[in-house]
Coordinates of all heavy atoms in Angstrom, one line a residue:
M1 N 51.9 56.4 110.9 CA 51.5 55.2 111.5 C 52.4 54.8 112.6 O 52.1 54.2 113.6 CB 51.4 54.0 110.5 CG 50.4 54.3 109.4 SD 48.8 54.9 110.1 CE 48.1 53.5 110.9
K2 N 53.7 55.3 112.5 CA 54.6 54.9 113.6 C 54.2 55.5 114.9 O 54.3 54.8 115.9 CB 56.0 55.5 113.2 CG 56.8 54.7 112.2 CD 58.0 55.4 111.7 CE 58.6 54.7 110.5 NZ 59.4 55.7 109.7
S3 N 53.7 56.7 114.9 CA 53.3 57.3 116.2 C 52.1 56.6 116.7 O 52.0 56.4 118.0 CB 53.0 58.8 116.0 OG 52.0 58.9 115.0
T4 N 51.2 56.2 115.9 CA 50.0 55.4 116.3 C 50.5 54.1 117.0 O 50.1 53.7 118.1 CB 49.1 55.0 115.2 OG1 48.8 56.2 114.5 CG2 47.9 54.3 115.6
W5 N 51.5 53.5 116.3 CA 52.1 52.3 116.8 C 52.7 52.5 118.2 O 52.5 51.7 119.1 CB 53.1 51.8 115.8 CG 53.8 50.5 116.2 CD1 53.4 49.3 116.0 CD2 55.1 50.4 116.8 NE1 54.3 48.4 116.4 CE2 55.4 49.0 116.9 CE3 56.1 51.3 117.2 CZ2 56.6 48.6 117.4 CZ3 57.3 50.8 117.7 CH2 57.5 49.5 117.8
F6 N 53.4 53.6 118.4 CA 54.0 53.9 119.6 C 53.0 54.1 120.7 O 53.1 53.7 121.8 CB 55.0 55.1 119.6 CG 56.4 54.7 119.5 CD1 57.0 54.6 118.2 CD2 57.1 54.5 120.6 CE1 58.3 54.2 118.1 CE2 58.5 54.1 120.5 CZ 59.1 54.0 119.3
F7 N 51.9 54.7 120.3 CA 50.9 55.0 121.3 C 50.3 53.7 121.8 O 50.0 53.5 122.9 CB 49.8 55.9 120.7 CG 48.8 56.3 121.7 CD1 49.1 57.4 122.6 CD2 47.6 55.7 121.8 CE1 48.1 57.7 123.5 CE2 46.7 56.0 122.7 CZ 46.9 57.0 123.6
L8 N 50.1 52.8 120.8 CA 49.5 51.5 121.2 C 50.4 50.8 122.2 O 50.0 50.2 123.1 CB 49.2 50.7 120.0 CG 48.0 51.2 119.1 CD1 48.0 50.4 117.8 CD2 46.7 51.1 119.9
V9 N 51.7 50.8 121.8 CA 52.7 50.1 122.7 C 52.7 50.8 124.1 O 52.7 50.1 125.1 CB 54.1 50.3 122.1 CG1 55.2 49.8 123.1 CG2 54.2 49.4 120.8
Y10 N 52.6 52.1 124.1 CA 52.6 52.7 125.4 C 51.3 52.3 126.2 O 51.4 52.0 127.4 CB 52.6 54.3 125.2 CG 52.4 55.0 126.4 CD1 53.4 55.1 127.4 CD2 51.2 55.6 126.7 CE1 53.2 55.8 128.6 CE2 50.9 56.3 127.9 CZ 51.9 56.4 128.8 OH 51.7 57.0 130.0
S11 N 50.2 52.3 125.5 CA 49.0 51.9 126.2 C 49.1 50.5 126.8 O 48.7 50.2 127.9 CB 47.8 51.9 125.2 OG 47.7 53.2 124.6
C12 N 49.8 49.6 126.0 CA 50.0 48.2 126.5 C 50.9 48.3 127.7 O 50.6 47.6 128.7 CB 50.7 47.4 125.4 SG 49.6 47.0 124.1
C13 N 52.0 49.1 127.7 CA 52.9 49.2 128.8 C 52.1 49.6 130.0 O 52.3 49.1 131.1 CB 54.0 50.2 128.6 SG 55.2 49.6 127.4
M14 N 51.3 50.6 129.9 CA 50.5 51.1 131.0 C 49.5 50.1 131.5 O 49.4 49.9 132.7 CB 49.7 52.4 130.6 CG 50.6 53.5 130.3 SD 51.8 53.9 131.6 CE 50.7 54.4 132.9
A15 N 48.9 49.4 130.6 CA 48.0 48.3 131.0 C 48.7 47.2 131.8 O 48.2 46.8 132.9 CB 47.3 47.7 129.8
V16 N 49.9 46.9 131.3 CA 50.6 45.8 132.0 C 51.1 46.3 133.4 O 51.0 45.6 134.4 CB 51.9 45.4 131.2 CG1 52.8 44.6 132.0 CG2 51.4 44.7 130.0
S17 N 51.5 47.6 133.5 CA 52.0 48.0 134.8 C 50.8 48.2 135.7 O 51.0 48.0 136.9 CB 52.8 49.4 134.6 OG 51.9 50.4 134.3
C18 N 49.7 48.5 135.2 CA 48.5 48.6 136.1 C 48.1 47.2 136.6 O 47.7 47.1 137.8 CB 47.3 49.2 135.4 SG 47.5 50.9 135.1
L19 N 48.3 46.2 135.8 CA 47.8 44.9 136.2 C 48.8 44.2 137.1 O 48.4 43.4 138.0 CB 47.6 44.0 134.9 CG 46.4 44.4 134.1 CD1 46.4 43.6 132.8 CD2 45.1 44.1 134.9
T20 N 50.1 44.4 136.8 CA 51.1 43.6 137.5 C 51.8 44.3 138.6 O 52.3 43.7 139.5 CB 52.2 43.1 136.5 OG1 52.8 44.2 136.0 CG2 51.6 42.3 135.3
A21 N 51.8 45.6 138.6 CA 52.6 46.3 139.5 C 51.9 46.5 140.8 O 50.8 46.0 141.0 CB 53.1 47.7 139.0
A22 N 52.5 47.3 141.7 CA 51.9 47.6 143.0 C 50.5 48.1 142.8 O 50.1 48.7 141.7 CB 52.8 48.7 143.6
P23 N 49.7 47.9 143.8 CA 48.3 48.4 143.7 C 48.2 49.9 143.4 O 47.3 50.3 142.8 CB 47.7 48.0 145.1 CG 48.8 47.5 145.9 CD 49.9 47.1 145.0
Q24 N 49.2 50.6 143.9 CA 49.3 52.0 143.6 C 50.2 52.3 142.5 O 51.4 52.0 142.5 CB 49.8 52.7 144.9 CG 48.7 52.9 145.9 CD 49.1 54.0 146.9 OE1 50.3 54.0 147.2 NE2 48.2 54.7 147.4
T25 N 49.7 52.9 141.5 CA 50.6 53.5 140.5 C 50.5 55.0 140.6 O 49.5 55.5 141.0 CB 50.3 53.1 139.0 OG1 48.9 53.5 138.7 CG2 50.3 51.6 138.9
N26 N 51.6 55.7 140.2 CA 51.6 57.1 140.3 C 52.4 57.7 139.2 O 52.9 57.0 138.3 CB 52.1 57.5 141.7 CG 53.4 56.9 142.0 OD1 54.2 56.7 141.1 ND2 53.6 56.5 143.3
I27 N 52.7 58.9 139.3 CA 53.5 59.6 138.2 C 54.9 59.0 138.0 O 55.4 59.0 136.9 CB 53.6 61.1 138.5 CG1 54.1 61.9 137.3 CG2 54.4 61.4 139.8 CD1 53.1 62.0 136.2
T28 N 55.4 58.4 139.1 CA 56.7 57.8 139.0 C 56.6 56.5 138.1 O 57.5 56.3 137.3 CB 57.2 57.4 140.4 OG1 57.2 58.6 141.2 CG2 58.6 56.9 140.3
T29 N 55.5 55.8 138.3 CA 55.3 54.6 137.5 C 55.2 55.0 136.0 O 55.8 54.4 135.1 CB 54.0 53.9 137.9 OG1 53.6 54.3 139.2 CG2 54.0 52.5 137.7
D30 N 54.5 56.1 135.8 CA 54.4 56.6 134.4 C 55.7 57.0 133.8 O 56.0 56.7 132.7 CB 53.5 57.9 134.4 CG 52.0 57.6 134.8 OD1 51.7 56.4 134.8 OD2 51.3 58.6 135.0
K31 N 56.6 57.6 134.6 CA 57.9 58.0 134.2 C 58.7 56.8 133.7 O 59.3 56.8 132.7 CB 58.6 58.8 135.3 CG 60.0 59.3 134.9 CD 60.6 60.0 136.1 CE 61.2 61.3 135.6 NZ 61.8 62.1 136.7
Y32 N 58.7 55.8 134.6 CA 59.5 54.6 134.2 C 58.9 53.8 133.0 O 59.7 53.3 132.3 CB 59.7 53.7 135.5 CG 60.7 54.3 136.4 CD1 60.4 55.2 137.4 CD2 62.1 54.0 136.1 CE1 61.4 55.7 138.2 CE2 63.1 54.6 136.9 CZ 62.7 55.5 137.9 OH 63.7 56.0 138.7
A33 N 57.6 53.9 132.9 CA 57.0 53.3 131.7 C 57.5 54.0 130.4 O 57.9 53.4 129.4 CB 55.5 53.3 131.8
L34 N 57.6 55.3 130.5 CA 58.0 56.1 129.4 C 59.6 55.9 129.1 O 60.0 55.9 128.0 CB 57.7 57.6 129.5 CG 56.2 57.9 129.3 CD1 55.9 59.4 129.6 CD2 55.8 57.5 127.9
L35 N 60.3 55.8 130.2 CA 61.7 55.6 130.1 C 62.0 54.2 129.4 O 62.9 54.1 128.6 CB 62.4 55.7 131.4 CG 62.6 57.1 132.0 CD1 63.1 57.1 133.4 CD2 63.5 57.9 131.1
A36 N 61.2 53.3 129.7 CA 61.3 51.9 129.1 C 61.0 52.1 127.6 O 61.7 51.4 126.8 CB 60.3 51.0 129.7
L37 N 60.0 52.9 127.3 CA 59.7 53.1 125.9 C 60.9 53.9 125.2 O 61.3 53.5 124.1 CB 58.4 54.0 125.8 CG 57.9 54.4 124.4 CD1 57.7 53.2 123.5 CD2 56.7 55.2 124.6
K38 N 61.4 54.9 125.9 CA 62.5 55.6 125.3 C 63.7 54.7 125.0 O 64.4 54.9 124.0 CB 63.0 56.7 126.3 CG 64.2 57.4 126.0 CD 64.7 58.3 127.1 CE 66.1 58.9 126.8 NZ 66.5 59.7 128.0
A39 N 63.9 53.7 125.9 CA 65.1 52.8 125.7 C 64.9 52.0 124.4 O 65.9 51.4 124.0 CB 65.2 51.9 126.9
R40 N 63.7 51.9 123.9 CA 63.5 51.1 122.7 C 63.6 51.9 121.4 O 63.5 51.4 120.3 CB 62.1 50.4 122.7 CG 62.0 49.4 123.8 CD 62.9 48.3 123.6 NE 62.7 47.2 124.6 CZ 63.5 46.2 124.8 NH1 64.6 46.1 124.1 NH2 63.2 45.3 125.6
I41 N 63.8 53.2 121.5 CA 63.8 54.1 120.4 C 65.2 54.0 119.7 O 66.2 54.2 120.4 CB 63.5 55.5 120.8 CG1 62.1 55.7 121.3 CG2 63.8 56.4 119.6 CD1 61.8 57.0 121.9
T42 N 65.2 53.6 118.5 CA 66.5 53.4 117.8 C 66.8 54.6 116.8 O 67.9 54.8 116.4 CB 66.5 52.1 116.9 OG1 65.4 52.2 116.0 CG2 66.4 50.9 117.8
S43 N 65.7 55.4 116.5 CA 65.9 56.5 115.6 C 65.1 57.7 116.1 O 63.9 57.6 116.3 CB 65.5 56.1 114.2 OG 65.5 57.3 113.4
D44 N 65.8 58.8 116.4 CA 65.1 60.0 116.9 C 65.7 61.1 116.1 O 66.6 61.8 116.6 CB 65.3 60.1 118.4 CG 64.7 61.3 119.0 OD1 63.9 62.0 118.3 OD2 64.9 61.6 120.2
P45 N 65.3 61.4 114.9 CA 65.9 62.3 114.0 C 66.2 63.7 114.5 O 67.2 64.3 114.2 CB 65.0 62.4 112.8 CG 64.1 61.1 112.9 CD 64.0 60.8 114.3
H46 N 65.3 64.1 115.4 CA 65.5 65.5 115.9 C 66.2 65.4 117.3 O 66.4 66.5 117.9 CB 64.1 66.2 116.0 CG 63.3 66.1 114.8 ND1 63.7 66.8 113.6 CD2 62.2 65.5 114.5 CE1 62.8 66.5 112.7 NE2 61.9 65.7 113.2
N47 N 66.5 64.2 117.7 CA 67.2 64.1 119.0 C 66.4 64.7 120.1 O 67.0 65.1 121.1 CB 68.6 64.7 118.9 CG 69.6 63.8 119.6 OD1 69.4 62.6 119.9 ND2 70.7 64.4 120.0
L48 N 65.1 64.7 120.0 CA 64.3 65.4 121.0 C 64.1 64.5 122.2 O 64.3 64.9 123.3 CB 63.0 65.7 120.4 CG 62.8 67.2 119.9 CD1 61.5 67.3 119.2 CD2 62.9 68.1 121.1
I49 N 63.6 63.3 122.0 CA 63.3 62.4 123.1 C 64.5 62.1 123.9 O 64.6 62.1 125.1 CB 62.6 61.1 122.6 CG1 61.3 61.5 121.8 CG2 62.3 60.2 123.7 CD1 60.2 62.1 122.6
L50 N 65.6 61.8 123.1 CA 66.8 61.3 123.8 C 67.4 62.3 124.7 O 68.0 62.0 125.7 CB 67.8 60.8 122.7 CG 67.4 59.6 121.9 CD1 68.4 59.1 120.9 CD2 67.0 58.4 122.9
T51 N 67.3 63.6 124.3 CA 67.8 64.6 125.1 C 66.8 65.2 126.1 O 67.2 65.6 127.2 CB 68.4 65.8 124.3 OG1 67.3 66.3 123.5 CG2 69.5 65.3 123.4
N52 N 65.6 65.2 125.7 CA 64.6 65.9 126.5 C 64.0 65.0 127.6 O 63.6 65.5 128.7 CB 63.5 66.5 125.6 CG 62.6 67.4 126.4 OD1 61.6 67.0 126.9 ND2 62.9 68.7 126.4
W53 N 63.8 63.7 127.3 CA 63.2 62.9 128.3 C 64.3 62.5 129.3 O 64.8 61.4 129.3 CB 62.6 61.6 127.6 CG 61.3 61.9 126.9 CD1 60.9 63.1 126.4 CD2 60.3 61.0 126.5 NE1 59.7 63.0 125.8 CE2 59.3 61.7 125.8 CE3 60.2 59.6 126.7 CZ2 58.2 61.0 125.3 CZ3 59.1 58.9 126.2 CH2 58.1 59.7 125.5
S54 N 64.6 63.4 130.2 CA 65.6 63.2 131.2 C 65.0 62.7 132.5 O 64.0 63.3 132.9 CB 66.4 64.5 131.4 OG 67.2 64.4 132.6
I55 N 65.6 61.8 133.1 CA 65.1 61.2 134.4 C 65.1 62.3 135.5 O 64.4 62.2 136.4 CB 65.9 59.9 134.8 CG1 65.2 59.2 135.8 CG2 67.3 60.3 135.2 CD1 65.7 57.8 136.0
T56 N 65.9 63.3 135.3 CA 66.1 64.3 136.3 C 65.0 65.4 136.2 O 64.9 66.3 137.1 CB 67.5 65.0 136.3 OG1 67.7 65.5 135.0 CG2 68.5 63.9 136.6
T57 N 64.2 65.4 135.1 CA 63.2 66.4 135.0 C 61.8 65.7 135.1 O 61.7 64.6 134.8 CB 63.3 67.1 133.6 OG1 63.1 66.2 132.6 CG2 64.6 67.9 133.5
P58 N 60.8 66.5 135.6 CA 59.5 65.9 135.8 C 58.9 65.4 134.5 O 59.1 66.1 133.5 CB 58.7 67.1 136.4 CG 59.7 68.0 136.9 CD 60.9 67.9 136.1
V59 N 58.3 64.3 134.5 CA 57.8 63.7 133.3 C 56.8 64.6 132.6 O 56.7 64.6 131.4 CB 57.2 62.3 133.6 CG1 56.0 62.4 134.5 CG2 56.8 61.5 132.3
C60 N 56.1 65.4 133.4 CA 55.1 66.3 132.8 C 55.8 67.4 132.0 O 55.1 68.1 131.2 CB 54.2 66.9 133.9 SG 53.2 65.6 134.7
N61 N 57.1 67.6 132.1 CA 57.8 68.7 131.4 C 58.4 68.1 130.1 O 59.0 68.8 129.3 CB 58.9 69.3 132.2 CG 58.4 70.1 133.4 OD1 57.2 70.3 133.5 ND2 59.3 70.6 134.2
W62 N 58.2 66.8 129.9 CA 58.8 66.2 128.7 C 58.0 66.6 127.4 O 56.8 66.7 127.5 CB 58.9 64.7 128.8 CG 59.8 64.2 129.9 CD1 60.6 64.9 130.7 CD2 60.0 62.8 130.3 NE1 61.3 64.1 131.5 CE2 60.9 62.8 131.3 CE3 59.4 61.6 129.9 CZ2 61.4 61.7 131.9 CZ3 59.8 60.5 130.5 CH2 60.8 60.5 131.5
V63 N 58.7 66.7 126.3 CA 58.0 67.1 125.1 C 57.1 65.9 124.7 O 57.5 64.7 124.8 CB 59.0 67.4 123.9 CG1 59.7 68.7 124.1 CG2 60.0 66.2 123.7
G64 N 56.0 66.2 124.2 CA 55.0 65.2 123.7 C 54.2 64.5 124.8 O 53.4 63.7 124.5
V65 N 54.5 64.9 126.0 CA 53.8 64.3 127.1 C 52.8 65.3 127.7 O 53.1 66.4 128.0 CB 54.7 63.8 128.2 CG1 54.0 63.2 129.4 CG2 55.7 62.8 127.7
A66 N 51.5 64.8 127.9 CA 50.5 65.7 128.5 C 50.1 65.0 129.8 O 49.9 63.8 129.9 CB 49.4 65.9 127.6
C67 N 50.0 65.9 130.8 CA 49.6 65.4 132.1 C 48.2 66.0 132.5 O 47.9 67.1 132.1 CB 50.6 65.7 133.2 SG 52.1 64.8 133.2
G68 N 47.5 65.2 133.3 CA 46.2 65.8 133.8 C 46.5 66.9 134.8 O 47.5 66.9 135.5
K69 N 45.6 67.9 134.8 CA 45.8 69.0 135.6 C 45.7 68.7 137.1 O 46.4 69.2 137.9 CB 44.8 70.1 135.3 CG 45.1 70.9 134.0 CD 44.2 72.1 133.9 CE 44.6 73.0 132.7 NZ 44.1 72.5 131.4
H70 N 44.8 67.8 137.4 CA 44.6 67.6 138.8 C 45.1 66.2 139.3 O 45.4 66.1 140.5 CB 43.0 67.6 139.1 CG 42.4 68.9 138.7 ND1 42.8 70.1 139.3 CD2 41.6 69.2 137.7 CE1 42.1 71.0 138.7 NE2 41.3 70.5 137.7
H71 N 45.3 65.3 138.4 CA 45.6 63.9 138.8 C 47.1 63.7 138.9 O 47.6 62.7 139.4 CB 44.9 62.9 138.0 CG 43.4 63.0 138.0 ND1 42.7 62.7 139.2 CD2 42.5 63.5 137.1 CE1 41.4 62.9 138.9 NE2 41.3 63.4 137.7
H72 N 47.9 64.6 138.2 CA 49.3 64.5 138.2 C 49.7 63.1 137.6 O 50.6 62.4 138.1 CB 49.9 64.7 139.5 CG 49.6 66.1 140.1 ND1 50.1 67.2 139.5 CD2 48.8 66.5 141.1 CE1 49.6 68.3 140.1 NE2 48.9 67.9 141.1
R73 N 49.0 62.7 136.6 CA 49.3 61.5 135.9 C 49.5 61.8 134.4 O 48.9 62.8 133.9 CB 48.2 60.4 136.1 CG 48.1 60.0 137.5 CD 49.3 59.3 138.0 NE 49.7 58.1 137.2 CZ 49.3 56.9 137.4 NH1 48.5 56.6 138.4 NH2 49.6 55.9 136.5
V74 N 50.3 61.0 133.7 CA 50.4 61.2 132.3 C 49.0 60.8 131.6 O 48.5 59.7 131.9 CB 51.5 60.3 131.7 CG1 51.5 60.4 130.2 CG2 52.8 60.8 132.3
T75 N 48.5 61.7 130.8 CA 47.2 61.4 130.2 C 47.3 61.2 128.7 O 46.4 60.6 128.1 CB 46.2 62.5 130.5 OG1 46.7 63.7 130.1 CG2 45.9 62.6 132.0
A76 N 48.3 61.7 128.1 CA 48.4 61.6 126.6 C 49.8 61.7 126.2 O 50.6 62.4 126.8 CB 47.5 62.6 126.0
L77 N 50.0 61.1 125.0 CA 51.3 61.2 124.4 C 51.1 61.7 123.0 O 50.2 61.2 122.3 CB 52.0 59.8 124.3 CG 52.7 59.2 125.4 CD1 53.4 57.9 125.0 CD2 53.8 60.2 126.0
N78 N 51.9 62.6 122.5 CA 51.8 63.1 121.1 C 53.2 63.1 120.6 O 53.9 64.0 120.7 CB 51.2 64.5 121.1 CG 51.1 65.0 119.7 OD1 51.5 64.3 118.7 ND2 50.7 66.3 119.6
L79 N 53.5 61.9 119.9 CA 54.8 61.8 119.4 C 54.8 61.8 117.9 O 55.8 61.5 117.2 CB 55.4 60.4 119.8 CG 55.4 60.2 121.3 CD1 56.0 58.8 121.6 CD2 56.2 61.2 122.1
S80 N 53.7 62.4 117.3 CA 53.5 62.3 115.9 C 54.5 63.1 115.1 O 54.7 62.8 113.9 CB 52.1 62.7 115.6 OG 51.8 64.0 116.1
Y81 N 55.2 64.1 115.7 CA 56.1 64.9 114.9 C 57.5 64.6 115.1 O 58.4 65.2 114.5 CB 55.9 66.4 115.3 CG 54.7 67.0 114.6 CD1 53.4 66.5 115.0 CD2 54.8 67.9 113.7 CE1 52.3 67.0 114.3 CE2 53.7 68.5 113.0 CZ 52.4 68.0 113.4 OH 51.3 68.5 112.7
F82 N 57.8 63.5 115.8 CA 59.2 63.3 116.1 C 59.9 62.3 115.2 O 61.1 62.1 115.2 CB 59.4 62.8 117.5 CG 58.8 63.8 118.6 CD1 58.2 63.3 119.7 CD2 59.0 65.1 118.3 CE1 57.7 64.2 120.6 CE2 58.5 66.0 119.3 CZ 57.8 65.6 120.4
G83 N 59.1 61.6 114.3 CA 59.6 60.6 113.4 C 60.4 59.5 114.0 O 61.5 59.1 113.6
L84 N 59.9 59.0 115.1 CA 60.6 58.0 115.9 C 60.5 56.6 115.2 O 59.5 56.3 114.6 CB 60.0 57.9 117.3 CG 60.1 59.1 118.1 CD1 59.3 58.9 119.4 CD2 61.5 59.5 118.4
E85 N 61.5 55.8 115.5 CA 61.5 54.4 115.1 C 62.0 53.6 116.2 O 62.9 54.1 117.0 CB 62.3 54.2 113.8 CG 61.7 54.8 112.6 CD 62.6 54.5 111.3 OE1 63.2 53.5 111.3 OE2 62.6 55.4 110.5
G86 N 61.6 52.4 116.3 CA 62.1 51.5 117.3 C 61.5 50.2 117.3 O 60.5 50.0 116.5
T87 N 62.0 49.3 118.0 CA 61.4 47.9 118.1 C 61.1 47.6 119.5 O 61.8 48.0 120.4 CB 62.4 46.9 117.5 OG1 63.6 47.0 118.2 CG2 62.6 47.1 116.0
I88 N 60.1 46.8 119.7 CA 59.8 46.3 121.0 C 60.1 44.8 121.0 O 59.6 44.1 120.2 CB 58.3 46.5 121.3 CG1 57.9 48.0 121.2 CG2 58.0 46.0 122.7 CD1 58.6 48.9 122.2
L89 N 60.9 44.5 122.0 CA 61.3 43.0 122.1 C 60.5 42.5 123.3 O 60.4 43.1 124.3 CB 62.8 42.9 122.3 CG 63.7 43.5 121.2 CD1 65.1 43.4 121.6 CD2 63.4 42.8 119.9
H90 N 60.1 41.3 123.1 CA 59.4 40.6 124.2 C 60.6 40.0 125.1 O 61.5 39.5 124.6 CB 58.6 39.4 123.7 CG 57.4 39.9 123.0 ND1 56.3 40.4 123.6 CD2 57.2 40.0 121.6 CE1 55.4 40.8 122.6 NE2 55.9 40.6 121.5
S91 N 60.4 40.2 126.4 CA 61.5 39.8 127.3 C 60.9 38.7 128.2 O 59.7 38.4 128.2 CB 62.0 40.9 128.2 OG 60.9 41.5 128.8
Ligands
NAG101 C1 54.9 55.9 143.7 O1 54.6 54.6 144.1 C2 55.7 53.9 144.5 C3 55.4 52.4 144.7 O2 54.0 52.2 144.7 C4 56.3 54.5 145.7 O3 57.5 53.8 146.1 C5 56.7 56.0 145.4 O4 57.1 56.6 146.6 C6 55.4 56.7 144.9 N1 55.9 58.0 144.4 C7 55.1 59.1 144.6 C8 55.7 60.4 144.0 O5 54.0 59.1 145.1
NAG102 C1 62.1 69.6 127.2 O1 61.3 70.3 126.4 C2 60.4 71.2 127.1 C3 59.4 71.8 126.1 O2 60.1 72.3 125.0 C4 61.2 72.2 127.8 O3 60.4 73.1 128.5 C5 62.1 71.5 128.8 O4 63.0 72.5 129.4 C6 63.0 70.5 128.0 N1 63.8 69.8 129.0 C7 65.1 69.4 128.8 C8 65.7 68.7 129.9 O5 65.7 69.7 127.8
NAG103 C1 50.7 66.9 118.3 O1 51.8 67.9 118.4 C2 51.9 68.7 117.2 C3 53.1 69.5 117.4 O2 53.3 70.0 118.6 C4 50.6 69.5 117.0 O3 50.7 70.3 115.9 C5 49.4 68.5 116.9 O4 48.2 69.2 116.8 C6 49.4 67.6 118.1 N1 48.4 66.6 117.9 C7 47.5 66.3 118.9 C8 46.5 65.2 118.6 O5 47.4 66.9 119.9

C-alpha cells in the first residue's frame, strides 16, 4: 500500500505543478517533482532512490521511472519493490 500511496502523492504533485506552474511543463518539471518526492523519503532500505535518483543523471534513467518514448515525459512510477517510507508535510 505504501507504493500506492506514493503514486497518489506523485499524481497530486504533478497535478499541482500542472495547475500552478508555468504554462509549459517538461521533463525538467518532472525531475523536480520527483526530487521533491525523494526529499520526503525517510526510509529507503535498499538505498536505491537516494543513490540512484541523482540530479546529474536524466530522470528517465532513474530506477522505477518510466518515460514515454516520444514525449520525453515521465509517464509512470513503479516504486513497489523499494519498500519506501516517508511523510508528506503540507507547507
Ligand atoms: C522546461 O521549462 C522551463 C520553464 O517552463 C524552462 O526554463 C526550461 O528551459 C525547459 N527545459 C527544457 C529541457 O525544455
Ligand atoms: C540508476 O539505475 C539505473 C538502472 O539500474 C542505472 O542504469 C543507472 O546507471 C543508475 N544511475 C546511478 C546514478 O546510479
Ligand atoms: C514493478 O517493478 C518490479 C521490479 O522491477 C516488476 O517486477 C513489476 O512487474 C513492476 N510492476 C509494474 C506494474 O510494472
Side-chain angles (χ1 to χ4, degrees):
M1 295 317 287
K2 280 171 192 157
S3 57
T4 307
W5 181 80
F6 259 94
F7 186 80
L8 289 173
V9 169
Y10 172 73
S11 303
C12 291
C13 289
M14 292 308 294
V16 167
S17 73
C18 286
L19 289 172
T20 63
Q24 279 195 327
T25 61
N26 54 34
I27 192 71
T28 307
T29 336
D30 293 348
K31 181 182 228 178
Y32 281 93
L34 286 177
L35 285 172
L37 177 58
K38 172 187 170 184
R40 294 298 186 194
I41 295 171
T42 56
S43 172
D44 180 7
H46 310 293
N47 218 20
L48 259 176
I49 302 295
L50 293 181
T51 57
N52 191 270
W53 287 20
S54 163
I55 196 165
T56 57
T57 59
V59 64
C60 296
N61 292 355
W62 292 358
V63 290
V65 176
C67 286
K69 283 191 173 79
H70 302 296
H71 300 291
H72 301 293
R73 295 297 304 268
V74 174
T75 55
L77 279 186
N78 177 4
L79 305 179
S80 51
Y81 280 66
F82 302 144
L84 300 174
E85 290 178 34
T87 56
I88 303 293
L89 302 176
H90 295 282
S91 54

